[in-house]
Every structure is written in C-alpha cells, then in structure tokens.
Amino acid sequence: MSDLPSVELCTARTWLVLPGEDEAGAVLRYYQENREHLERWSPPLPDDFYTLRYWRKRLDHARREYAEDRALRLIICERDEPEREPGARRVIGTCSFTDIVRGPSQACKLGYGLARTHEGRGLMAEALRAALDFAFETLALHRVEANYMPSNERSGALLRRLGFDVVGYARDYLFISGAWRDHILTALTNPKPRPPGALPPR
Ligand SMILES: CC(C)(COP(=O)(O)OP(=O)(O)OC[C@H]1O[C@@H](n2cnc3c(N)ncnc32)[C@H](O)[C@@H]1OP(=O)(O)O)[C@@H](O)C(=O)NCCC(=O)NCCS
C-alpha cells in the first residue's frame, strides 16, 4: 500500500484525503450516522455496505483506482482532524471524481455528500473548490460533470455556487432510492483549458 500515491488537500476549514484501509472505521461511522440522510440520494447499496470488512476492501480498491487514473475518492474532515490518529478521525463528508475518461474528452463525474450536522456552513463548497482545483490543475481534467435530482435543491444550489452550467435534463437517468429518477445534468470546464497531454507524475 505504501507505494501507492497519496492525496491531501487543505482549505481554511477542511482537510481532504485519499483514505487508506486504516480509515475504514471512520468512514463506516460517517455512513452509519448519516444513513437516512444519504440513502435518499443513493444508488442501491451492497448488502455488506455497513460493515468494516466492506470498507477495508473498498478503501484499498479506491487507492488502486487512483493509481490507475480511474477515480479519485476523497474523505472530508474538519481542519483540526489531521492531528488525530487514523481511524479516530471524524469524517464529515466525501467527494469523488469517478469514470475518468482521457483521450479527447478528459472528463469525469463528480459525486459528494456531507454529514447532516455539517450542512449550511459552506463547508462542501469550500472543500469542492479545492478538489476541483486539484482535478483541473494536477489531474489535468478538462470537464467535470455533476448530476442531481430536481428535488435535491441543496445539491443544485451548491453546483450553481461553484459555477456549474446546466447542460441538459435526463429522464429516468439513475436508479436512486428505489426508482429511476430524472436528473438535471451540469458540467464545469477547466478555467485554464489545455490540450490533452502527458499526465504529470503522481
Ligand atoms: C448537497 C450537500 C453537500 C449541500 O451541502 P451544503 O452545506 O448545503 O452546501 P454548501 O457547502 O454549499 O453550503 C451552503 C450553505 O451554507 C451557508 N453558509 C454558511 N456559511 C457559509 C460560508 N462561509 N460560505 C458559504 N456558504 C455558507 C449558505 O448560506 C448555505 O446555506 P442555505 O442553503 O441554508 O442557504 C448536502 O446537502 C448533502 O450532502 N446532501 C445529501 C447528499 C447529497 O444530496 N449528495 C448529492 C447528490 S447529487
């Protein structure tokens, strides 16, 4: 594991990290505590989603996905959290850049979630600004897509705040919370566009 790349980003109030297996307990706690809050907007979850075994495997896999340039899945903590031991940290949210496609599109999809107790403080917007800078500057992505259900007003407001443009409306787009749901499609392009090229070393 130690030879796999790591990512750590800091903002005034948040700290974002690509977690290792040793964060499995902290991530599991976040999902358990926010089960109802997050499942409303979630695809079907595996049967063992709320187990430590699942999160150990999933976090190990996430490190590999990043090393293979397929996805970047970060956890978000409040700024004082790095002082704590791994596993004892309190995770307040997640953000993920997935389905990374290179070639002429250099695009990916963005997903995110924040603990219910931490909504309404601008923390996700702040964390995502840093994560998007990293996606554009370091990962050299050109376009980040984010899609939300029309009833998810908080998610829509967040994307508008970050400058995402609405690019379409997709009927029955994703299977979320037990049914196929319409989604509003949005995207943000790199403010400093550059041609596709060799990736910087990680
Ligand atoms: C979507 C989600 C991340 C939005 O969280 P959020 O806290 O509303 O997002 P922001 O970080 O943009 O915060 C904006 C809020 O903080 C307030 N705020 C307070 N201090 C602020 C500051 N310093 N800067 C900016 N906003 C601040 C804003 O007024 C706004 O509150 P309001 O909506 O009550 O007006 C969250 O609701 C969530 O995780 N929902 C469940 C999962 C989910 O929907 N995921 C996305 C599926 S598409």
Side-chain angles (χ1 to χ4, degrees), residues 45-187:
L45 302 174
D47 288 344
D48 58 350
F49 185 83
Y50 293 100
T51 66
L52 206 50
R53 186 167 46 92
Y54 172 83
W55 280 104
R56 285 209 187 98
K57 264 195 297 184
R58 167 102 177 232
L59 296 184
D60 179 46
H61 182 65
R63 295 284 290 265
R64 289 174 205 288
E65 282 181 308
Y66 181 59
E68 292 163 8
D69 195 35
R70 292 191 285 133
L72 172 60
R73 299 173 190 271
L74 300 170
I75 55 169
I76 305 169
C77 301
E78 283 198 272
R79 186 66 187 272
D80 61 349
E81 292 295 320
E83 310 304 328
R84 296 199 197 172
E85 289 297 308
R89 290 179 181 133
R90 186 170 180 79
V91 175
I92 62 158
T94 61
C95 76
S96 308
F97 299 90
T98 58
D99 297 344
I100 295 177
V101 179
R102 294 296 178 180
S105 53
Q106 303 284 320
C108 73
K109 293 204 166 62
L110 171 65
Y112 44 80
L114 188 69
R116 197 187 50 74
T117 47
H118 286 69
E119 284 181 313
R121 291 166 53 191
L123 288 168
M124 184 54 87
E126 180 177 318
L128 283 184
R129 278 192 192 100
L132 286 163
D133 279 354
F134 185 82
F136 289 139
E137 291 288 327
T138 306
L139 302 184
L141 287 163
H142 177 66
R143 177 183 168 90
V144 176
E145 298 173 2
N147 308 316
Y148 67 96
M149 283 160 48
S151 57
N152 196 343
E153 288 170 16
R154 273 194 176 273
S155 190
L158 168 65
L159 293 171
R160 279 192 295 281
R161 202 169 287 128
L162 292 169
F164 278 72
D165 291 321
V166 172
V167 295
Y169 187 93
R171 294 213 177 275
D172 291 347
Y173 183 65
L174 292 178
F175 195 83
I176 299 288
S177 189
W180 291 101
R181 313 279 184 184
D182 294 359
H183 277 69
I184 293 169
L185 313 181
T186 78

